[in-house]
Amino acid sequence: MGCFFSKKAKKKRNSEEAKAGEQPQQDGEEPKQYSWDKREKVDPKDYMFTGLKDQTVGKLPDKIAGQQFVIQECENCNIYIFDHSATITIDDCTNCRIFLGPVKGSVFFRDCKDCKCVVACQQFRTRDCRRMDVFLCCSTQPIIESSTSMKFGCFQYYYPELALQFKEAGLSIFNNTWSNIHDFTPVAGETNWSLLPPDAVIQDFIPLPDSEELKCVRVSADVHKSIIPVTWGQRLKKSDESCLVVFFAGDYTTANARKMIDEMVGKELSLIQTKEVAMKIEDAKRVFQDNVTDLISLLENGSVVALEFNGDGAVDSCQSVISNTFSGTKVFVSESKESASRDVDNFYNFADMQMGM
C-alpha cells in the first residue's frame, strides 16, 4: 500500500525543513540530490574471488582503485591483483599462486596452505597457515601466528603501472622489512619460518599470467627491473665491512638512489637494507654526529633515503662512485670501515624507532 500525506502534514514537514536550513520541497519538484547520492554504487561481488578451482583470474589496473578485496575458498588457482587496494583478506585457499599489488593497509592470510605469493603491503599477517612461500614487501614487521613451514623472500616484480600504485597506496619502495619476521606463537626447538635462497627465481614459484585478458599487463619478474630494490635482508652478511649512503630529498632522490644501487650491485656488493624516513635536526645530530653541519638545511626538503651496502672494500667503492657520479649532489657516505659500522647502527636504530619497529 502506498503512503499518503495530508496537506497539513506536508506543510508541517516543509516548515521543519525550513527551520533546519533546507529549502522546502515544492509540489512537483525533483528531490534534492547530494554528492553521495551520485556516487557509483559498489557491488561487493566485483571485489572478491570465491570458490574458484583450477582457474586463472585477475583484476587489471584501475579496476579496484583502493577498494577492499576478498579471496576465499580457492583451489589450484592463479590469481593476479594488478591494482592497489585498501585491505585484502585471503581465507581457506589451497595450492594457489597469488600476486597482490600494493595494499594500503593489511594483508591477512588465514587457513591457507601450499600457496606461493608475491605481496606488497603496509601490514602482513598469517594465522593457521602451512607451507607458504612469500615474496614480500612490507612497511612494518611481518607477523605469523600458528603458522608453520613459512618461507620468505624479497618482493621482485614490475609492470608499468606499479610505481604509481605504490604511491597511491602510500607505500615507499624503500621501506621493506620482508625478512624481519615476528613469530607470535613460537614453539621451543622448532622454527616456523625461514628465508628463501637469495637466488630464488620468482617465476619458479609464480608464473607470469597467460590468459588473454591479463597478458595486456606488461609484467616482468626480472630482478633488475623490480620496482622494489631487492635486498639481502637478515641473511648472514658476506663481509664484516658495510657502508651507509644517505640521499637527501630533492627532485631526483629516488632516481639517484636507484642509480647508486645499480652501480654498487654491479661491483658485486650486497644491498642489505633500505629506508625512507623523515629526520629532525636532533635526529641528524645523533646519527651523523661530526658531519651534521652541512646536512641540516637539507632535512627541511623532506625524507631521506638510506642504503646499506656490504662487501669487502664497500666504503672505498661507495666513496668512489659518489665522487664520480654524484659530484653535484649532497650525499652522506661513511668515511671509513670503522665508522661505517657505527653509522649503520645509528641510522637504522633511529629509523626503527621512528617507524615503531
Side-chain angles (χ1 to χ4, degrees):
M1 179 181 293
C3 294
F4 298 92
F5 295 93
S6 66
K7 290 184 179 180
K8 185 176 181 181
K10 185 178 289 187
K11 184 177 180 181
K12 180 180 180 182
R13 186 185 67 191
N14 286 348
S15 175
E16 289 172 349
E17 287 175 348
K19 287 180 181 178
E22 300 179 7
Q23 291 297 320
Q25 183 181 328
Q26 302 297 324
D27 290 342
E29 279 189 1
E30 291 291 326
K32 185 174 182 180
Q33 275 201 324
Y34 297 92
S35 58
W36 51 84
D37 294 324
K38 300 177 183 178
R39 290 177 186 167
E40 189 175 342
K41 302 300 182 185
V42 173
D43 186 348
K45 292 180 181 178
D46 293 335
Y47 301 93
M48 64 172 57
F49 291 133
T50 182
L52 304 179
K53 185 175 182 179
D54 303 327
Q55 295 187 44
T56 293
V57 295
K59 290 292 183 179
L60 296 173
D62 299 325
K63 294 301 182 182
I64 298 177
Q67 296 288 339
Q68 298 181 15
F69 204 86
V70 173
I71 301 170
Q72 60 188 13
E73 298 175 355
C74 294
E75 182 180 351
N76 193 35
C77 289
N78 295 333
I79 299 172
Y80 304 90
I81 306 298
F82 291 129
D83 203 2
H84 69 101
S85 54
T87 62
I88 297 184
T89 55
I90 306 95
D91 293 324
D92 300 294
C93 289
T94 301
N95 192 32
C96 289
R97 280 71 54 194
I98 301 172
F99 172 84
L100 302 181
V103 180
K104 185 174 185 177
S106 64
V107 168
F108 199 176
F109 285 86
R110 296 176 293 199
D111 298 292
C112 295
K113 62 182 180 181
D114 299 309
C115 291
K116 304 179 189 304
C117 312
V118 179
V119 178
C121 59
Q122 178 79 16
Q123 300 174 333
F124 178 87
R125 188 170 181 178
T126 70
R127 188 168 66 203
D128 299 313
C129 292
R130 291 178 287 160
R131 297 183 301 277
M132 288 183 58
D133 299 327
V134 184
F135 291 85
L136 180 63
C137 174
C138 186
S139 302
T140 57
Q141 187 175 30
I143 295 174
I144 65 173
E145 179 182 357
S146 302
S147 299
T148 59
S149 300
M150 308 291 290
K151 296 181 181 180
F152 293 88
C154 184
F155 181 104
Q156 43 193 281
Y157 220 76
Y158 169 85
Y159 52 88
E161 299 86 355
L162 188 54
L164 179 59
Q165 291 173 3
F166 265 91
K167 290 183 179 180
E168 290 175 328
L171 302 179
S172 168
I173 63 172
F174 296 108
N175 291 337
N176 186 8
T177 62
W178 68 270
S179 63
N180 186 21
I181 311 299
H182 175 68
D183 188 350
F184 201 71
T185 52
V187 178
E190 297 182 16
T191 303
N192 292 323
W193 65 273
S194 61
L195 301 182
L196 290 163
D199 58 354
V201 178
I202 202 165
Q203 283 178 253
D204 292 342
F205 295 79
I206 300 154
L208 299 183
D210 57 5
S211 71
E212 289 304 317
E213 178 191 14
L214 299 176
K215 276 184 180 178
C216 67
V217 182
R218 293 185 286 127
V219 173
S220 173
D222 183 346
V223 65
H224 301 294
K225 292 184 177 180
S226 177
I227 290 293
I228 299 296
V230 178
T231 55
W232 191 255
Q234 296 196 350
R235 301 184 182 101
L236 182 66
K237 294 179 182 178
K238 297 178 181 179
S239 170
D240 63 353
E241 181 176 348
S242 282
C243 182
L244 180 69
V245 176
V246 181
F247 289 91
F248 295 85
D251 294 336
Y252 305 103
T253 305
T254 297
N256 286 342
R258 282 193 170 281
K259 184 170 181 59
M260 184 69 185
I261 292 169
D262 291 342
E263 292 278 350
M264 304 319 297
V265 171
K267 296 178 181 293
E268 298 187 351
L269 294 182
S270 299
L271 177 64
I272 303 299
Q273 56 182 332
T274 64
K275 192 71 71 177
E276 181 174 6
V277 65
M279 296 187 78
K280 298 178 181 177
I281 293 176
E282 54 267 30
D283 301 324
K285 289 179 178 177
R286 188 166 59 252
V287 171
F288 301 122
Q289 299 185 0
D290 297 338
N291 301 290
V292 73
T293 305
D294 296 336
L295 306 176
I296 288 178
S297 62
L298 302 174
L299 300 176
E300 300 174 355
N301 298 329
S303 298
V304 303
V305 173
L307 316 170
E308 179 192 351
F309 295 101
N310 177 265
D312 294 341
V315 173
D316 287 343
S317 294
C318 287
Q319 289 178 350
S320 175
V321 170
I322 293 296
S323 176
N324 295 328
T325 307
F326 302 99
S327 57
T329 304
K330 196 69 177 178
V331 184
F332 173 86
V333 59
S334 296
E335 291 184 344
S336 66
K337 177 180 177 180
E338 291 70 31
S339 66
S341 178
R342 183 187 66 238
D343 294 338
V344 170
D345 288 344
N346 285 348
F347 183 87
Y348 284 98
N349 286 340
F350 149 73
D352 287 346
M353 286 190 296
Q354 182 83 348
M355 301 183 74
M357 299 290 290

